[in-house]
Amino acid sequence: MGVLDAFKNGLKKTRDFWASEWVKTVASHGKFDDDMLDDLEEIMVRADCGVAASDDIISYIKDYIKKTGDDSREGVMQAVKDRMLQILGEKTEIDIQDGKLNILLMVGVNGTGKTTTAGKLASRYKAEGKKVIMGAADTFRAAAVNQLKVWGERTETSVIAHEEGSDPAAVVFDAIHAAIARKADILIVDTAGRLHNKKNLMDELSKINRIISREAPDANVMSLLIIDATTGQNAVLQTEAFTEAVDLDYLGITKLDGSAKGGVAVSVAYTAKVPIVLAGLGEGVDDLMDFDPEAFVESLVADDTDA
Ligand SMILES: Nc1nc2c(ncn2[C@@H]2O[C@H](COP(=O)(O)OP(=O)(O)OP(=O)(O)O)[C@@H](O)[C@H]2O)c(=O)[nH]1
Ligand SMILES: [Mg+2]
């Protein structure tokens, strides 16, 4: 399946919502006046694009119509897409460097899809011929360690784990030394989302980071915040909170398939300081794509139910 089809399938719920609302709007107004733009803004907000980004897109359209005199349906939809693309920015991929250890720290609140995404990434990198190890630094629950081990078996990736309740930084220490000894290309570290407050979270992640810089000073270390699209505007708040607490490099947005809230990627990108690099489009091992702004926008902004 091509990239565009994968995004179209994954974003089907948001796309169907958008298309049916859009058709209703067009049918009830017919021409692009302020009422119609208000309705378009409401569709965007309901698809979770966020008020600020939706406002911005509407202003962009108004300018476009003023400048060009083009208030046609095609022109306006293209203006929506153009502005969304500007907000989402250039396509960015996780920067895996050859000839050194790459360490990917998976962070994010409870249940967003960190462990699943770690497993999917292991599978992807192995398919590219990389040597991958995973570290089970979510030691809060035995089930969390087991879940990562299941992904390890499924993707034939070694998982370094300690007992439930042990020190996550000690797991990271062992995982780094295993990765160095086995000449791994990539170490994926799954962390806990279950920390009761921001201070705990910061303390734990900074301890992990201290261990990494001490034990693997030459490694290419990247932190990836995983957010869950189905949580809508909460995902935006989480991105803001983690940006304050952690030195983030990338965002991964999961469960884009799970609701009609796929527009949340636009809302997050509007304020985020780091790029969205991954899109989770289902629960299966292959349902992970590099976030592709063009495919995303084409899939989201449907102006026809059978498009
Ligand atoms: N539909 C869908 N489900 C997903 C996706 N990514 C993860 N999930 C599901 O979301 C649920 C939570 O995923 P986990 O990977 O356990 O999340 P986590 O962040 O590790 O959770 P904690 O370890 O509890 O903090 C699981 O049932 C996953 O199968 C996705 O892209 N689409
Ligand atoms: Mg987990």
Side-chain angles (χ1 to χ4, degrees):
M1 199 191 318
V3 174
L4 182 58
D5 286 337
F7 274 87
K8 278 193 174 167
N9 276 344
L11 282 158
K12 191 168 183 322
K13 288 185 182 152
T14 310
R15 180 179 176 75
D16 286 351
F17 163 76
W18 185 296
S20 64
E21 293 300 307
W22 181 245
V23 167
K24 265 192 252 162
T25 303
V26 174
S28 62
H29 298 295
K31 81 184 227 311
F32 264 100
D33 51 16
D34 283 350
D35 274 354
M36 190 137 158
L37 290 176
D38 283 348
D39 286 351
L40 178 57
E41 179 162 7
E42 196 197 315
I43 297 173
M44 287 193 278
V45 171
R46 285 171 60 208
D48 251 306
C49 294
V51 174
S54 303
D55 250 6
D56 174 301
I57 294 167
I58 295 298
S59 311
Y60 182 89
I61 299 171
K62 287 184 176 162
D63 281 352
Y64 169 82
I65 295 176
K66 219 194 280 156
K67 256 191 254 154
T68 61
D70 174 12
D71 62 357
S72 69
R73 171 176 168 156
E74 292 73 26
V76 168
M77 292 319 280
Q78 192 55 50
V80 171
K81 290 179 184 177
D82 289 348
R83 185 64 190 144
M84 274 189 182
L85 272 178
Q86 288 169 7
I87 290 171
L88 290 167
E90 298 270 302
K91 182 175 180 203
T92 310
E93 290 180 25
I94 297 174
D95 176 32
I96 298 294
Q97 297 174 9
D98 287 337
K100 57 163 66 175
L101 177 60
N102 294 272
I103 302 179
L104 258 178
L105 267 181
M106 313 294 292
V107 302
V109 308
N110 190 8
T112 54
K114 296 177 292 298
T115 307
T116 307
T117 308
K120 290 171 174 176
L121 281 173
S123 165
R124 166 205 284 205
Y125 290 132
K126 287 204 67 168
E128 290 174 7
K130 305 266 194 263
K131 190 160 174 72
V132 185
I133 288 188
M134 294 196 279
D138 177 359
T139 60
F140 265 51
R141 298 166 297 137
V145 177
N146 288 335
Q147 190 192 354
L148 194 70
K149 285 184 176 164
V150 169
W151 274 104
E153 280 162 25
R154 194 181 293 171
T155 60
E156 296 178 357
T157 306
S158 337
V159 174
I160 307 299
H162 290 184
E163 310 223 309
E164 176 188 358
S166 56
D167 181 357
V171 176
V172 172
F173 180 96
D174 281 357
I176 289 172
H177 287 286
I180 293 171
R182 298 180 208 174
K183 298 192 170 48
D185 301 297
I186 303 169
L187 167 62
I188 303 174
V189 178
D190 188 25
T191 69
R194 254 159 241 274
L195 295 168
H196 359 283
N197 62 44
K198 211 158 101 185
K199 178 158 188 325
N200 274 4
L201 172 78
M202 275 203 292
D203 288 351
E204 180 164 314
L205 291 174
S206 51
K207 191 167 171 196
I208 289 176
N209 275 313
R210 272 201 308 279
I211 295 288
I212 293 176
S213 43
R214 196 181 73 203
E215 302 302 319
D218 300 326
N220 173 32
V221 185
M222 297 161 281
S223 13
L224 175 61
L225 174 67
I226 301 296
I227 49 176
D228 169 350
T230 64
T231 63
Q233 295 304 301
N234 263 332
V236 179
L237 298 177
Q238 287 159 24
T239 306
E240 284 165 9
F242 272 81
T243 302
E244 274 175 31
V246 187
D247 202 3
L248 282 186
D249 295 285
Y250 302 119
L251 292 171
I253 182 156
T254 61
K255 309 187 205 179
L256 282 166
D257 56 305
S259 70
K261 295 176 188 286
V264 74
V266 175
S267 184
V268 167
Y270 195 69
T271 49
K273 298 183 172 57
V274 297
I276 302 173
V277 292
L278 293 176
L281 299 167
E283 291 187 275
V285 63
D286 295 324
D287 296 326
L288 181 74
M289 304 290 290
D290 284 329
F291 187 81
D292 184 319
E294 287 194 22
F296 175 84
V297 167
E298 277 308 318
S299 306
L300 183 79
V301 181
D303 68 348
D304 200 24
T305 25
D306 55 13

